[in-house]
Amino acid sequence: MSDKWIQQPIKLLDEQAAESARLRQAQLTKPAGSLGRLEKLAIALAAMQGTEQPQMRKAWVSVFAADHGLAQAGVSAFPAEVTAQMVHNFLNGGAAIAVLAKQQQMAFEVVDVGVNAEFTPQPGLVIAKVAKGTASSLTGTAMTDSQCLAALEVGKQAADRAFQAGVDCFIGGEMGIGNTAAASLLIAKLTGSDLAPLVGAGTGLDAIGLAHKRQVLAQVMAQHQALDARDPLAVLACLGGFEIAALAGAYLRCAQLGLPVLVDGVITTAAALVAEQLAPGAKHGWLFSHRSVEPAHQACFDALQVQPLLQLDLRLGEGSGAAIAWPLLQQACWLHNQMATFAEAGVAG
């Protein structure tokens, strides 16, 4: 599989549009800076869209689902079978992200990039299975190089679908039992951080389960001590998952296309970290929706030097936090575009 698309340049921000948006903010009928980060959000969106008055009308959600060989080592409070069961729940509209997407009229799809099950083709499901789950990083690499590239390609294709549909924002979600373990490993390796403080309870491990998870992940890191942290593709293939690779591919492709991204929780942010290391500067086309209670999330923000929009003590994943933050983007645009200027309102500036 070719990786040539990965080398394509990212779309640069439109600084002229950003400056025009700043000037507009200065003329709106409010004290300067009184809308706080909503003002900066509107200006950031103006730079991403290349217009003084950005629009956030419709969002696209792709939830990537895959299983992890590492889950067999007991790093999650739930059995691996839950991944496939949750795919059915997404498609039936019962999962949190499905509810939020329906409520906000978002385009919604579930992408099977590596679930250890077979699904009947149906509306809303994209079957793009690389394999029935990764291998265990405890005993070897999670993915072969070709599998990693294939999963990145699945994400690229999702971003292409969103772009061709003419949406204003891409939201990536994930489902995969064991994927907070994979995310913690990736973040620790790529940032050079100590692993133990980054390992959280994930789906709800108790103290004994958390201690076991930390022990298993420490063994994984020791197994791959020679892995070069400066090679993000090698790190992703060794420690990641198919859904994380697909997310990284989607974020990278969105940066190339100039399609704004709203990143969700710790797993999606780990994917964003990979994509940023593949294409430095890609992060400027992304917004980060919230800070999870997973401890690795803040380490990821520190490495990326970004700030999330919300902190609601969320730890669900699926893209749910990004869907919750989506109205903030719309409100920032509405305020920016529809408030009167001092001249229009006849108010003294």
Side-chain angles (χ1 to χ4, degrees):
M1 170 131 350
S2 174
D3 61 350
K4 288 183 179 179
W5 72 270
I6 296 174
Q7 311 304 324
Q8 292 180 20
I10 59 175
K11 186 175 180 180
L12 300 178
L13 297 180
D14 188 329
E15 296 299 341
Q16 185 174 352
E19 182 58 26
S20 296
R22 286 189 197 96
L23 291 173
R24 176 172 175 79
Q25 279 289 331
Q27 298 166 12
L28 299 180
T29 47
K30 59 180 174 57
S34 59
L35 284 174
R37 291 178 62 196
L38 288 178
E39 297 182 13
K40 295 179 180 178
L41 185 53
I43 294 166
L45 290 168
M48 292 178 199
Q49 291 191 335
T51 176
E52 177 188 328
Q53 295 184 261
Q55 300 280 347
M56 286 284 117
R57 294 157 294 201
K58 191 172 183 72
W60 175 288
V61 180
S62 293
V63 180
F64 301 97
D67 277 302
H68 292 252
L70 189 59
Q72 302 303 324
V75 295
S76 173
F78 287 87
E81 293 77 16
V82 170
T83 303
Q85 293 165 2
M86 282 300 297
V87 168
H88 290 294
N89 194 29
F90 292 135
L91 294 169
N92 292 333
I97 184 58
V99 170
L100 291 165
K102 181 178 180 181
Q103 184 251 329
Q104 298 180 97
Q105 298 183 324
M106 296 172 169
F108 181 75
E109 67 176 17
V110 181
V111 183
D112 171 14
V113 67
V115 181
N116 186 22
E118 296 293 342
F119 299 108
T120 302
Q122 56 191 287
L125 175 65
V126 177
I127 299 177
K129 199 187 300 288
V130 175
K132 288 187 174 181
T134 62
S136 174
S137 56
L138 191 58
T139 55
T141 62
M143 295 174 264
T144 65
D145 291 344
S146 61
Q147 285 178 332
C148 186
L149 290 175
L152 285 160
E153 176 75 23
V154 171
K156 172 192 178 294
Q157 292 172 359
D160 284 339
R161 287 192 296 274
F163 183 75
Q164 290 161 10
V167 299
D168 302 301
C169 183
F170 180 89
I171 292 173
E174 41 60 42
M175 180 62 221
I177 295 300
N179 61 11
T180 59
S184 297
L185 290 167
L186 285 170
I187 293 167
K189 190 67 178 181
L190 292 173
T191 65
S193 304
D194 289 338
L195 173 67
L198 302 185
V199 181
T203 50
L205 289 169
D206 59 17
I208 295 173
L210 181 56
H212 173 73
K213 181 179 180 180
R214 286 180 174 147
Q215 182 182 22
V216 169
L217 299 194
Q219 291 174 1
V220 173
M221 290 294 278
Q223 167 86 1
H224 302 291
Q225 190 172 3
L227 184 61
D228 188 354
R230 297 168 297 181
D231 186 344
L233 281 180
V235 174
L236 177 62
C238 186
L239 303 176
F242 292 136
E243 82 280 37
I244 298 175
L247 283 160
Y251 295 156
L252 175 56
R253 185 58 173 166
C254 285
Q256 294 170 347
L257 296 170
L259 177 60
V261 166
L262 189 52
V263 180
D264 185 38
V266 66
I267 294 141
T268 57
T269 309
L273 181 62
V274 173
E276 170 64 17
Q277 295 201 1
L278 287 171
K283 67 180 182 181
H284 298 303
W286 311 329
L287 298 163
F288 294 81
S289 59
H290 74 104
R291 180 178 183 266
S292 165
V293 297
E294 279 290 310
H297 208 184
Q298 186 60 50
C300 216
F301 290 143
D302 292 341
L304 288 165
Q305 296 183 310
V306 296
Q307 185 179 9
L309 295 171
L310 299 170
Q311 183 170 344
L312 298 172
D313 297 338
L314 304 175
R315 58 180 179 88
L316 176 57
E318 303 178 0
S320 57
I324 289 168
W326 163 248
L328 285 179
L329 276 60
Q330 295 183 307
Q331 289 161 1
C333 290
W334 288 333
L335 289 165
H336 178 79
N337 296 336
Q338 297 182 28
M339 281 184 69
T341 64
F342 285 107
E344 290 168 343
V347 175

